Amino acid sequence: MRYSSPFKLLAKVHLLHKYYVDVEQLNVVKEALHVSTPPATATVVCREVEYNRVLDFCKQSVEQDKAGSLYICGCPGTGKSLSIEKVKEDLVDWANESALQAPDLLSLSCTSLSKTSDIFGKILDKIQPRRKANGSISPLQYLQKMSSQKQLSTGGKMTLIIADEMDYLITKDRTVLHDLFMLTTFPFSRFILIGIANAIDLADRFLPKLQSLNCKPAVITYRAYSKDQIISILQQRLEAFPYTVFQPQALELCARKVASASGDMRKALSVCRSAIEMLEGEIRDSIYSLQLPSLKMGLSDQQRGGSCDKLPIQESGVVRVDHVAIALSKAYRSPVVDTIQSLPQHQQIILCSALKLFRGKKKDATIGEVNISYVDVCKSTLIPPVGIMELSSMCRVLGDQGILKVGQAREDKLRRVTLNIDEADITFALQGIRLFRNYLQQL
């Protein structure tokens, strides 16, 4: 059906307005998914245990008016800094509510120091900002003297020192690191020290010496995020929006791959933002080329009656699995993905079939079961299947490449097959191939 020019113009104007609304919504979501944007929640999702341990340590030190040290370690992107920021806020609120004197807060990144010993000058400046430098005594010596003598101790507020990137303080003799922790052991010390580092084995390397110096800190380790934890955090950031932004399968794919690679939440947020940018580009291209379903396929009777408010646009602007797959392939380019994408078509179908079988608790299947799933995929993609003998032979080839693990049996169809690679690698390797896109979205 042909449209009158005025109605075409009205439809185009409406679609352009819809485009700007959708893009504005996506920009707001991107901002919410930025690593520097704090989550709008009262709790630290998936880090409640670690957060409570740190907060309890600080509360106990303030309550008992007792110095102490804590060492926090974990890989990048595991929630260490986020937890500490929340602890700082809640510690001050708790102290005020409990009629206790909240500690002074000194947060610093050790990488910003010109030399490692400068950290003692930073601490002294926080405690006594107007103190004039005295060439005869170093900042460390003054801090040690002040913490050793009651009359020099402030006797009032304690100071919470948060030293991030503590790995940077490791020198050949580790003197600075040892001296820093020892500041909490002097009889009149007013310091609560929290050291943060990415190296999980750092504690093992310096704790024995600190123990011999009687200043061994408590240790809290932040483990890499699991798939389910990454999904929970992403959902928590998205729950404030009254519209759907991601297909559930898209979030799961992102979480599965990031968890298997590093468990770095920052990487998951980056991948999601990249996927949103792809959707933005897709919407923009569709608007400018006017290839939207509402113009290409015609309007419903209700819409022809004069209502333009319900014109659809790009599946409601939802980030799909293929968007995330491409974003992941840019973030993690692995040899396994390249290998899968270069396989012959029927071997790719076998992997797609195995993926369908192993979604869930099932971890292996017979070649006969793989064949049933394989035929199903072939039917859905309109590709003629090969026989079970040829399929068995292709499974052995995939086994030789280390992609599948194929067991032994008297009959080929009874041989058991197991995936030897991560499921997420298969998903986003094949998701970029149009033939498999729709099928994978249904898994």
Side-chain angles (χ1 to χ4, degrees):
M1 178 179 179
R2 297 180 62 83
Y3 308 109
S4 63
S5 294
F7 190 82
K8 271 189 177 181
L9 180 60
L10 181 61
K12 290 178 182 179
V13 170
H14 174 82
L15 291 173
L16 286 171
H17 172 72
K18 183 80 164 67
Y19 159 70
Y20 286 116
V21 171
D22 283 353
V23 169
E24 183 59 33
Q25 288 178 342
L26 292 176
N27 283 334
V28 174
V29 176
K30 278 197 302 182
E31 184 63 28
L33 292 175
H34 198 283
V35 67
S36 64
T37 302
T41 179
T43 60
V44 184
V45 179
C46 300
R47 284 293 180 249
E48 293 87 353
V49 173
E50 294 85 350
Y51 157 81
N52 284 324
R53 287 184 62 189
V54 178
L55 183 58
D56 288 345
F57 163 79
C58 294
K59 284 181 178 180
Q60 186 176 9
S61 297
V62 172
E63 234 170 3
Q64 298 178 2
D65 203 31
K66 181 180 178 183
S69 61
L70 179 66
Y71 174 69
I72 295 174
C73 59
C75 295
T78 52
K80 303 185 299 297
S81 297
L82 182 64
S83 296
I84 294 303
E85 287 303 312
K86 184 66 176 166
V87 164
K88 288 194 297 185
E89 294 176 12
D90 292 350
L91 180 63
V92 172
D93 291 342
W94 166 83
N96 292 334
E97 291 171 2
S98 304
L100 295 171
Q101 198 168 33
D104 283 330
L105 300 177
L106 171 62
S107 296
L108 54 90
S109 173
C110 296
T111 57
S112 66
L113 302 172
S114 299
K115 57 181 185 293
T116 56
S117 60
D118 286 350
I119 191 169
F120 302 113
K122 297 284 187 182
I123 297 172
L124 188 54
D125 287 342
K126 179 66 180 178
I127 299 170
Q128 297 185 4
R130 295 184 179 84
R131 178 182 176 273
K132 294 182 179 180
N134 185 339
S136 64
I137 184 170
S138 70
L140 171 61
Q141 291 171 327
Y142 189 88
L143 290 172
Q144 291 172 333
K145 183 179 179 181
M146 186 177 69
S147 300
S148 302
Q149 301 177 22
K150 188 173 183 179
Q151 62 271 27
L152 292 178
S153 176
T154 59
K157 283 189 176 183
M158 300 194 75
T159 302
L160 173 59
I161 304 166
I162 298 172
D164 202 359
E165 306 288 352
M166 186 173 265
D167 324 48
Y168 185 75
L169 296 182
I170 301 176
T171 54
K172 190 172 183 180
D173 57 5
R174 302 175 189 170
T175 303
V176 172
L177 196 65
H178 296 154
D179 287 337
L180 181 61
F181 278 97
M182 284 189 70
L183 282 178
T184 64
T185 65
F186 287 90
F188 302 103
S189 174
R190 311 293 297 163
F191 301 121
I192 307 168
L193 172 64
I194 298 180
I196 308 172
N198 290 330
I200 292 179
D201 65 336
L202 182 61
D204 296 330
R205 285 154 40 201
F206 75 74
L207 279 183
K209 176 64 174 178
L210 291 178
Q211 188 167 8
S212 68
L213 296 171
N214 196 32
C215 58
K216 180 182 177 181
V219 179
I220 298 177
T221 302
Y222 280 63
R223 302 296 178 188
Y225 285 114
S226 67
K227 181 201 76 173
D228 291 340
Q229 287 176 326
I230 292 174
I231 291 176
S232 294
I233 295 170
L234 291 174
Q235 288 175 337
Q236 174 264 320
R237 292 215 175 202
L238 296 169
E239 67 184 5
F241 301 102
Y243 42 86
T244 301
V245 184
F246 286 81
Q247 286 182 338
Q249 302 95 320
L251 285 183
E252 182 180 350
L253 174 61
C254 174
R256 187 184 299 276
K257 180 58 185 176
V258 172
S260 66
S262 61
D264 186 339
M265 193 62 217
R266 298 175 306 178
K267 181 69 76 173
L269 292 171
S270 175
V271 167
C272 287
R273 285 168 54 83
S274 178
I276 290 175
E277 288 168 359
M278 291 178 202
L279 176 61
E280 285 177 330
E282 193 175 274
I283 294 173
R284 181 176 58 250
D285 293 344
S286 295
I287 285 288
Y288 290 158
S289 63
L290 296 178
Q291 292 298 313
L292 289 166
S294 54
L295 293 179
K296 188 177 180 182
M297 299 174 61
L299 302 172
S300 68
D301 291 338
Q302 183 180 5
Q303 288 167 334
R304 282 198 296 270
S307 172
C308 294
D309 293 337
K310 297 183 180 180
L311 287 172
I313 181 169
Q314 285 295 323
E315 296 177 303
S316 301
V318 175
V319 177
R320 305 186 303 272
V321 173
D322 53 305
H323 296 135
V324 171
I326 296 169
L328 283 167
S329 66
K330 291 178 180 178
Y332 301 101
R333 195 65 192 181
S334 72
V336 173
V337 172
D338 292 334
T339 300
I340 295 171
Q341 291 179 340
S342 64
L343 289 174
Q345 189 177 73
H346 281 277
Q347 291 183 26
Q348 290 176 336
I349 294 175
I350 289 173
L351 292 181
C352 192
S353 308
L355 194 64
K356 179 186 177 184
L357 281 173
F358 300 148
R359 276 293 167 91
K361 295 183 179 179
K362 192 175 179 68
K363 295 301 178 186
D364 66 352
T366 64
I367 285 182
E369 291 172 321
V370 172
N371 182 61
I372 294 172
S373 179
Y374 161 80
V375 171
D376 181 51
V377 178
C378 285
K379 286 181 180 178
S380 71
T381 54
L382 303 178
I383 294 175
V386 301
I388 191 169
M389 295 302 294
E390 191 173 349
L391 179 135
S392 178
S393 176
M394 287 190 288
C395 285
R396 287 196 295 271
V397 171
L398 291 170
D400 293 340
Q401 292 180 294
I403 296 173
L404 293 180
K405 183 177 180 181
V406 184
Q408 300 293 326
R410 290 184 180 181
E411 296 182 53
D412 268 3
K413 67 178 182 180
L414 298 178
R415 298 174 75 174
R416 302 202 73 80
V417 174
T418 308
L419 278 178
N420 220 18
I421 57 176
D422 194 283
E423 292 180 14
D425 283 332
I426 299 175
T427 302
F428 78 78
L430 298 182
Q431 188 64 52
I433 302 172
R434 186 180 298 274
L435 177 69
F436 301 104
R437 188 171 299 160
N438 291 336
Y439 188 84
L440 288 170
Q441 287 180 4
Q442 298 169 7
L443 293 182

